[in-house]
Amino acid sequence: LESVAEKVEGGFLLNGFKRFISNGYSADMAVLFARTPVDGNSKALSAFVVEKGMKGFEVLRRLEPTASHDLVEFRLKDLKIPAQSLLGPLGEGFRVAMQTLELMRVSVGAAAVGMAHAALQEALAWAKSRVQFGKAVSEFQGVSFQLADAATETEAARALVYLAAIKKEGEAGDASIFSSMAKLFATEAAFRCIDRAVQIHGGMGVLRGSRVEQLYREIRPLRIYEGTSEIQRLVISRNLLKKTQRSKG
Ligand SMILES: Cc1cc2nc3c(=O)[nH]c(=O)nc-3n(C[C@H](O)[C@H](O)[C@H](O)COP(=O)(O)OP(=O)(O)OC[C@H]3O[C@@H](n4cnc5c(N)ncnc54)[C@H](O)[C@@H]3O)c2cc1C
């Protein structure tokens, strides 16, 4: 993270560049994070609210991922914002970001469950109606077992997402690990479920415009944004190891 906010008379002066900003084209306001070196911590982050139309806040271009998504790059060039645009205490942006990520990771997990469920419904309907070698393809065990695996993984993902949502509401302080687990498992499972649905559709599954083809493109970014699957594994393993150290000490 390279954007920097410098404290100036009456507020802050922001400079930097942001890539991959969701809803950046249609939103009127944005929350952004910038380095605000404070005593002894040169890497401290702070969160700020900025508004479109402010001088120095410029949307550079729209980006086109695999599926439709309002995504932009923007530049901050000598963007002067008032002191009250600071969100939370100065230098506490990392905590603000983590709290937001805990929530967003659960919601990305929930979106993945919805997409896996949709793919399963498509696959079930297709498998029952498509006839090959004199019978519905659902009667081939190679197909019906894929449906069974997809349904099982979808329900396991759903249960983990619900658990992570409960943890986020709770007071135990374990929301971080559960939101990462939910995001990791649900997005990876949904990707597998949607891939199976495409496979069950045969050639029809890869034709542009079919529902499963659309889901196949739509699910892909979910394993990347709000932290890649690898970063979720990092969060989970660090949480586990920290807990083990604490219980030893
Ligand atoms: C559709 C879309 C919407 C997005 N919306 C937003 C948004 O609104 N706001 C925002 O801030 N960002 C947004 N992003 C950015 C997104 O969060 C990042 O793309 C994502 O976190 C990965 O960062 P990166 O692209 O820099 O990949 P990199 O960090 O360059 O990672 C490249 C590869 O290396 C792996 N890797 C990196 N570090 C480690 C590590 N320590 N251990 C193991 N593996 C590692 C990654 O998992 C990945 O496989 C969006 C991205 C997309 C695709």
Side-chain angles (χ1 to χ4, degrees), residues 19-23 65 69 71 221 224-231 234:
R19 177 172 288 149
F20 294 125
I21 303 304
S22 293
N23 303 315
H69 193 110
L71 197 64
I224 293 174
Y225 61 60
E226 303 297 341
T228 62
S229 293
E230 291 71 33
I231 294 302
L234 204 72

